Amino acid sequence: MEQPKKLFLLDAFALIYRGYFALNANPGYKPVNSRGVDTSAILGFVNSLVELIAKENPTHIAVIFDTPEPTVRHIEYKEYKANRNEVPEAITIGVPYIEKIIDAFNIKRVGIPGYEADDVIGTLAKQAAKQGVQVYMMTPDKDFGQLVGENIYMYKPGRQGNDAEVWGPAEVCAKFDLMNTDQVIDMLGLMGDTVDNIPGVPGVGPKTASKLLKEFGSLENILANTDKQKGKLKENLETYKEQALLSKRLATILLDAPIEFHFEDFSHKEKNTDELHNLFSELEFRSLSKRVLSKEIMAQTIKPAAMDGDSGQTDLFSDFGEEIETAKTVTEFKTIENTEHTYHLLTDKAAMEKLAADMAAQTEFCFDTETTGLDVLTCEIVGLSVSFKEGEAYYVPFPANQDEAKKQFEIFKPVFENEKITKIGQNIKYDIGVLKNYDVAVKGTLFDTMLVHYILKPESKHGMDIMSENYLQYRPVSIETLIGKKGKGQISMRDVEIEKIKEYAAEDADVTLKLKNYLQPILEKTPSKKVYTDIEGPLVPVLERMEREGIRVDKPFLEKFSAEIFERMLKVEDEIQEMAGKPLFEDSKGKLVKWNVDSPRQVGEVLFERLKLDDKAKKTAKTKQYSTDESNLQKYEKKHPIISKILDYRELAKLKSTYADAIPLLINAKTGRVHTSFMQAVAATGRLSSDRPNLQNIPIRTELGRQMRKAFIARDENHVLISADYSQIELRVIAALSGDKNMIEAFKSGQDFHTATAAKVYNVSTTDVTKEMRSAAKAVNFGIIYGQSAFGLAQGLGISNSEAKEIIDNYFAQYPGIKEYMVNNVMKARKHGFVETVYGRRRYLPDIESGNAVVRGFSERNAINSPIQGSAADMIKLAMIKIDKALINAKYKTKMILQVHDELIFDAPKEEVTQVSMLIKNCMEAAMQLSVPIVAEVSSGANWLEAH
């Protein structure tokens, strides 16, 4: 059974300052390296981070930074934090290193201009808590007490060797002597805060504030009842009333920062040990390096297979009769030092030829590469490790000269290209890419331990180290443990003593082979086996070829597009100001200033106080300001054109920073193309993810967003891009899964499905369906998949709840099989603990019986949606495998280069377009047989937009 989801949100600068001052408090100790760099801020923060991971083993984690841009607090009160001393030089120097270390730990790092870290943490905490996640805000800052509530805790780092303190509502109330955590803001409004230069009411300290709040409940009530006070207290409360209210606003943590919590984005991933090794070596963190990179951080282990209550759920592995021993303490782990092994170093040609002959005699072998970097296209191989017998492995070093290395690879090339021999690896796509640089094409069946584990436990971590500890009770060594070398700058693997690399590299191959031997029997017993053998395994070389090919980007277009966006932002801002009647706001000194379109608070005041868009609009209880996030603003689009303009402005800002300005930085200097990385083992539904850039998130719903696709172009004037897109694939999948006769018939008829749905729902002929009817039907068609309620449909269409409910009721009356499918899938999930795609991919839902309604509802929606999304994901992956094989067999020059949701992109010579387009269409439509026709739409153009 999976461990509970725990999200830790770290207040970066609070922890950096805390660590800096803690280390500098000892006059006899000054962390300065051999170059005279004060590393105290870095060391203090990283120690806290490492200790947290070791003790709490978070499933999700992020570090939140303040940004230099002013916030609404600075705009409203110029003296806010004006009392801060100059930032210590050690912190100024340390922050860039800290950011790199966080990135090397593969921990999400967040900073949002215009918002303090407190606001971002508050926003994320509330969102995650609603999804049933246990949220821990790691900070010494008392202000966070206002956020503590159901599923949200403060995690205060320990002092002077003491353990960290976890504060829930009871602890916060006891600390401040309050009745509830909401009163923390009121207390701060009364007392002020010298740290942030918040004034409060003179003469009011914690005892007086507590007494007043116990009697009157809130700051507002206290100020409304000053007649009940006497003397100086009464005088000060009345004199400094506005100052108290200002102080409360300044102390209130905002909950509408423009960020959304998604499980996958914040998951605690395996750290990049090579990058950490380089950084720790440069900083001369010897002890810390040994502690972190020798795996002293113990991962939480998987419990033995056991029944989970009376729900009928079982641990995944118990389904297949496997038992997993629990590693109880660190001392129980096996290591290279206490485990018998034989690792060979081969440096002469005869020994290499003997190894190649032994490999050729095997039905399978495991291999791993040691390289100079992580970029497949630019890295060089340092060595190759091989294992085909547990406890025994071989390490072959390679020369730095690429021509000499290629010549040495001629010894091993035949065995790697032997299709009859299975190749085993961990994240094997990387290794076959490295070998491709040396003209070696790895062929045959691939067994990737990372992907097999992903199939078996899709929402777990899939790193080799954690799997080894969990299933083998074996803790692999780190490269730092073996090197023990102080370095200035980055250490190249070529600088490491060869005997030490041998131990490290050979062990990797040995451990991966052991994991394969452990996981394969489990895979064989599960119906999900064919998901690996037919989809994920064969897809690996396809993705490697796509990543290597990359896509050409029109850099001049992006530069021009960025400038155009900026000009449009200025124009739209002027239009917004004009529509609002150019309202002015008073700053802290009473001076009238232009209002800030980037300020959610001022946007809210303009919309609901100046323009009166909604007399019933209320400010949130804690922030005392109106919600102006996208979903809330969309409710008012039909009331005033300013809403559309504000949303346009925000989209422009995101387009510029996230895409137009960022993508040119990703162009590979060697190839001149952008090479996105496709990740198979991320999304639990089976969908592919991509990174650098994340193509899945390129906006397509607005005309301007679609313009971004113009930046992706064919390789030259003799080529075009081909776009092949599944038509309404998720709706076709749900029709097949549900078996609803009316829906299946609608698709078989070939008419527009949304029009057909509208005709049924509104009981009119298809010729009488209006644009509004079709839009409503389309919203229901797609909304049903994601569990949309009548309220959500009403908000989206701008209609009443009763109208929306009637539409949904009519929908289910016409498509009764859909409702039955939804109910049955939730029941199946409760009985078995999982749901499946058409192809047998499983999604485990351990929270389907949760007593928390929010958590349970989330699992129920996944029970309905995962088989639909997953089946669509399986289908396009099968299509990719078919197309790739067909293109190679027919010796076409066309290359498949991108996959985005239900769409595939190809770079094709113009003379091949007609034939290849038909090939692609046929392969996509035949990838998976369903009870409804599958339709793929294929078109071409000089750029992605034109092709789509």
Side-chain angles (χ1 to χ4, degrees):
M1 182 178 175
E2 293 184 355
Q3 61 174 310
K5 292 181 173 64
K6 297 194 299 183
L7 168 66
F8 279 79
L9 299 171
L10 281 61
D11 185 356
F13 279 103
L15 295 172
I16 291 169
Y17 272 88
R18 173 185 174 276
Y20 166 77
F21 287 114
L23 287 177
N24 281 277
N26 184 351
Y29 175 70
K30 187 73 171 177
V32 177
N33 66 16
S34 62
R35 289 169 290 150
V37 177
D38 184 346
T39 58
S40 55
I42 310 169
L43 188 59
F45 176 85
V46 178
N47 273 329
S48 296
L49 178 63
V50 170
E51 182 180 10
L52 171 71
I53 295 172
K55 288 185 176 180
E56 302 297 340
N57 191 27
T59 60
H60 298 75
I61 188 171
V63 181
I64 319 299
F65 282 78
D66 292 314
T67 65
E69 291 82 0
T71 68
V72 291
R73 298 179 184 89
H74 296 94
I75 294 169
E76 184 172 16
Y77 185 60
K78 296 297 182 183
E79 288 75 25
Y80 181 67
K81 292 188 177 181
N83 60 330
R84 294 285 178 93
N85 294 326
E86 185 176 347
V87 179
E89 183 180 11
I91 293 179
T92 303
I93 295 172
V95 168
Y97 280 104
I98 290 170
E99 291 177 337
K100 290 178 182 178
I101 290 169
I102 292 167
D103 293 345
F105 268 101
N106 278 326
I107 291 172
K108 187 173 181 66
R109 179 163 54 86
V110 182
I112 299 180
Y115 290 83
E116 291 188 57
D118 306 34
D119 304 325
V120 179
I121 290 173
T123 302
L124 290 170
K126 291 297 183 181
Q127 291 179 12
K130 286 181 180 179
Q131 299 181 44
V133 179
Q134 297 293 312
V135 183
Y136 296 86
M137 305 173 295
M138 185 175 180
T139 177
D141 189 347
K142 63 182 181 296
D143 294 11
F144 283 83
Q146 65 189 269
L147 298 173
V148 172
E150 185 177 1
N151 288 340
I152 302 178
Y153 306 87
M154 281 184 67
Y155 187 92
K156 293 177 66 64
R159 287 180 173 273
Q160 299 177 338
N162 294 323
D163 291 337
E165 297 177 29
V166 178
W167 286 7
E171 289 78 11
V172 172
C173 291
K175 176 67 177 177
F176 295 99
D177 194 19
L178 297 171
M179 295 181 293
N180 59 69
T181 58
D182 288 347
Q183 292 179 318
V184 170
I185 316 173
D186 299 285
M187 176 170 271
L188 293 171
L190 286 165
M191 294 168 43
D193 187 343
T194 56
V195 175
D196 291 340
N197 205 34
I198 296 175
V201 177
V204 177
K207 289 184 178 180
T208 302
S210 171
K211 180 182 176 182
L212 289 170
L213 288 169
K214 284 180 179 178
E215 183 176 358
F216 297 101
S218 70
L219 174 62
E220 288 77 7
N221 283 345
I222 293 169
L223 297 175
N225 290 277
T226 55
D227 60 312
K228 296 182 173 63
Q229 307 303 324
K230 297 179 181 180
K232 193 66 175 178
L233 176 60
K234 179 178 185 294
E235 178 184 340
N236 284 350
L237 286 172
E238 292 175 345
T239 303
Y240 296 98
K241 175 182 177 180
E242 292 303 319
Q243 184 168 290
L245 293 171
L246 168 66
S247 297
K248 182 175 178 178
R249 289 197 300 273
L250 295 174
T252 299
I253 294 175
L254 306 181
L255 303 176
D256 64 348
I259 188 170
E260 293 183 3
F261 175 78
H262 298 292
F263 285 96
E264 295 166 2
D265 295 344
F266 293 81
S267 62
H268 185 197
K269 303 176 181 68
E270 185 180 9
K271 59 183 175 289
N272 183 334
T273 51
D274 286 346
E275 187 62 24
L276 282 174
H277 163 257
N278 291 336
L279 287 165
F280 288 170
S281 296
E282 179 180 352
L283 293 164
E284 302 176 14
F285 290 168
R286 291 181 292 276
S287 298
L288 181 64
S289 182
K290 182 178 180 181
R291 179 154 56 98
V292 174
L293 299 180
S294 62
K295 309 298 185 299
E296 289 300 317
I297 300 176
M298 179 181 176
Q300 181 169 332
T301 56
I302 292 181
K303 296 178 180 179
M307 295 300 293
D308 182 19
D310 298 321
S311 65
Q313 298 179 45
T314 60
D315 181 274
L316 167 63
F317 289 91
S318 70
D319 284 342
F320 315 117
E322 295 293 322
E323 291 187 0
I324 301 173
E325 295 179 9
T326 303
K328 297 177 181 178
T329 66
V330 174
T331 57
E332 291 183 8
F333 281 122
K334 294 173 283 187
T335 67
I336 196 171
E337 295 177 352
N338 60 27
T339 302
E340 186 176 343
H341 65 278
T342 306
Y343 295 159
H344 308 275
L345 174 64
L346 308 183
T347 55
D348 63 274
K349 185 177 180 182
M352 294 179 199
E353 290 174 341
K354 172 66 167 56
L355 174 60
D358 290 342
M359 291 164 65
Q362 310 299 318
T363 58
E364 61 182 27
F365 63 80
C366 179
F367 79 101
D368 186 38
T369 59
E370 297 305 325
T371 61
T372 56
L374 298 176
D375 183 350
V376 173
L377 295 177
T378 59
C379 72
E380 300 174 0
I381 192 165
V382 174
L384 173 73
S385 55
V386 176
S387 179
F388 41 82
K389 178 183 177 183
E390 289 192 15
E392 186 171 10
Y394 305 82
Y395 178 69
V396 181
F398 277 75
N401 182 281
Q402 190 166 23
D403 291 333
E404 293 178 12
K406 285 182 178 180
K407 186 175 181 180
Q408 183 170 306
F409 255 120
E410 291 295 329
I411 299 172
F412 299 97
K413 185 180 173 85
V415 69
F416 276 106
E417 297 187 348
N418 187 333
E419 296 184 2
K420 296 180 180 180
I421 302 174
T422 296
K423 283 75 179 181
I424 304 161
Q426 166 76 13
N427 189 18
I428 204 168
K429 174 159 65 73
Y430 175 83
D431 299 297
I432 64 177
V434 172
L435 267 61
K436 185 76 69 70
N437 294 340
Y438 294 86
D439 301 330
V440 178
V442 178
K443 298 179 182 179
T445 301
L446 302 176
F447 191 102
D448 189 327
T449 49
M450 178 184 74
L451 293 180
V452 169
H453 190 254
Y454 165 67
I455 296 299
L456 297 173
K457 293 183 78 71
E459 294 194 70
S460 296
K461 298 176 184 177
H462 314 294
M464 185 197 78
D465 288 357
I466 195 167
M467 286 196 292
S468 177
E469 292 180 2
N470 284 345
Y471 307 140
L472 307 178
Q473 286 75 58
Y474 183 93
R475 176 166 288 166
V477 299
S478 69
I479 189 66
E480 178 64 17
T481 301
L482 293 171
I483 294 172
K485 178 179 180 180
K486 180 178 76 173
K488 297 180 180 181
Q490 293 189 341
I491 297 176
S492 169
M493 285 290 285
R494 297 197 187 281
D495 298 332
V496 180
E497 184 182 335
I498 196 167
E499 277 287 340
K500 293 180 177 179
I501 298 183
K502 177 203 75 175
E503 291 288 290
Y504 170 74
E507 185 194 49
D508 274 359
D510 183 20
V511 168
T512 301
L513 178 64
K514 290 175 180 175
L515 284 171
K516 181 266 177 188
N517 291 339
Y518 179 87
L519 294 170
Q520 187 173 34
I522 302 171
L523 182 68
E524 293 292 335
K525 294 178 183 178
T526 171
S528 300
K529 174 187 175 183
K530 63 179 183 178
V531 177
Y532 180 79
T533 57
D534 295 0
I535 301 178
E536 300 298 351
L539 188 63
V540 171
V542 178
L543 295 177
E544 191 281 327
R545 284 189 278 273
M546 291 170 64
E547 291 176 356
R548 182 172 294 272
E549 192 65 31
I551 187 169
R552 186 180 169 205
V553 170
D554 189 340
K555 190 175 180 181
F557 167 81
L558 285 175
E559 291 171 348
K560 182 180 177 182
F561 190 47
S562 177
E564 289 176 356
I565 292 174
F566 184 66
E567 289 298 319
R568 290 187 65 169
M569 287 175 67
L570 296 177
K571 181 181 178 182
V572 172
E573 184 181 11
D574 286 342
E575 292 173 348
I576 292 170
Q577 299 280 355
E578 193 69 34
M579 287 179 178
K582 295 186 177 179
L584 298 176
F585 286 78
E586 287 188 2
D587 63 13
S588 60
K589 297 180 180 179
K591 180 183 177 182
L592 292 177
V593 295
K594 181 180 177 182
W595 74 289
N596 183 3
V597 179
D598 291 308
S599 165
R601 180 181 65 80
Q602 293 188 18
V603 168
E605 291 179 12
V606 167
L607 297 180
F608 303 116
E609 294 179 7
R610 304 291 179 93
L611 298 180
K612 306 291 185 182
L613 295 191
D614 186 354
D615 292 335
K616 296 181 180 179
K618 295 181 180 180
K619 295 182 179 181
T620 62
K622 291 197 173 180
T623 66
K624 300 301 180 186
Q625 61 184 51
Y626 302 99
S627 172
T628 61
D629 58 26
E630 182 177 352
S631 61
N632 195 50
L633 288 185
Q634 286 174 341
K635 295 186 294 185
Y636 301 100
E637 275 195 276
K638 295 183 178 180
K639 289 196 171 186
H640 200 292
I642 195 173
I643 300 295
S644 295
K645 291 296 180 182
I646 292 171
L647 293 174
D648 287 347
Y649 178 84
R650 291 180 179 179
E651 186 201 12
L652 288 166
K654 182 177 180 180
L655 270 175
K656 185 178 187 302
S657 62
T658 307
Y659 300 106
D661 294 342
I663 288 178
L665 303 177
L666 299 176
I667 296 174
N668 187 289
K670 184 177 180 180
T671 67
R673 298 163 74 84
V674 168
H675 301 264
T676 191
S677 175
F678 292 102
M679 298 172 288
Q680 292 170 264
V682 174
T685 58
R687 281 185 176 272
L688 283 174
S689 299
S690 60
D691 187 36
R692 297 181 59 81
N694 180 357
L695 299 172
Q696 317 299 326
N697 285 347
I698 288 182
I700 59 172
R701 294 184 179 181
T702 63
E703 180 57 37
L704 188 66
R706 287 190 286 273
Q707 292 298 309
M708 268 301 305
R709 294 190 172 202
K710 280 186 178 180
F712 297 88
I713 58 179
R715 68 179 62 240
D716 55 40
E717 63 277 4
N718 298 318
H719 287 71
V720 295
L721 296 184
I722 296 175
S723 167
D725 197 359
Y726 275 122
S727 171
Q728 300 171 336
I729 191 60
E730 290 189 349
L731 295 177
R732 295 174 191 270
V733 169
I734 196 174
L737 288 173
S738 67
D740 185 273
K741 293 180 180 179
N742 288 340
M743 185 174 276
I744 292 172
E745 184 56 38
F747 277 117
K748 285 184 175 180
S749 69
Q751 60 185 306
D752 177 75
F753 181 68
H754 300 311
T755 300
T757 298
K760 288 183 177 295
V761 169
Y762 289 99
N763 194 27
V764 298
S765 68
T766 55
T767 55
D768 292 331
V769 171
T770 65
K771 182 180 179 181
E772 290 74 20
M773 289 177 180
R774 185 183 183 279
S775 295
K778 182 178 181 180
V780 179
N781 278 328
F782 287 111
I784 288 297
I785 297 173
Y786 296 97
Q788 187 179 47
S789 64
F791 177 77
L793 181 64
Q795 295 297 317
L797 296 178
I799 60 178
S800 68
N801 289 346
S802 59
E803 287 178 284
K805 184 178 184 302
E806 184 179 0
I807 292 173
I808 290 178
D809 288 344
N810 289 343
Y811 181 91
F812 283 134
Q814 293 299 324
Y815 299 130
I818 301 299
K819 185 70 172 180
E820 186 178 353
Y821 161 81
M822 296 168 70
V823 172
N824 288 343
N825 251 41
V826 172
M827 291 176 62
K828 287 178 183 177
R830 287 186 178 137
K831 181 178 180 180
H832 302 294
F834 61 83
V835 290
E836 291 181 310
T837 65
V838 171
Y839 215 81
R841 183 190 298 274
R842 290 184 175 183
R843 175 79 182 271
Y844 290 85
L845 301 168
D847 296 326
I848 196 71
E849 295 279 18
S850 172
N852 184 310
V854 175
V855 176
R856 184 175 64 253
F858 181 74
S859 286
E860 289 173 351
R861 289 191 293 275
N862 277 333
I864 296 166
N865 176 248
S866 290
I868 302 168
Q869 270 199 15
S871 295
D874 290 344
M875 186 183 297
I876 199 165
K877 287 179 175 179
L878 287 166
M880 292 167 72
I881 295 166
K882 285 178 177 289
I883 295 168
D884 180 76
K885 183 177 181 180
L887 290 175
I888 292 173
N889 288 344
K891 297 183 179 179
Y892 282 117
K893 294 179 181 179
T894 295
K895 305 294 183 183
M896 181 161 51
I897 54 176
L898 296 180
Q899 187 270 359
V900 182
H901 299 306
D902 305 320
E903 181 181 9
L904 298 175
I905 310 297
F906 302 81
D907 202 337
K910 290 180 177 179
E911 63 271 15
E912 291 184 3
V913 171
T914 302
Q915 289 177 298
V916 167
S917 294
M918 185 57 66
L919 178 153
I920 293 167
K921 181 177 175 66
N922 291 338
C923 286
M924 290 180 71
E925 294 179 350
M928 185 186 290
Q929 296 299 314
L930 298 178
S931 57
V932 294
I934 303 301
V935 177
E937 299 169 340
V938 185
S939 54
S940 61
N943 59 62
W944 187 4
L945 179 63
E946 187 179 316
H948 188 79

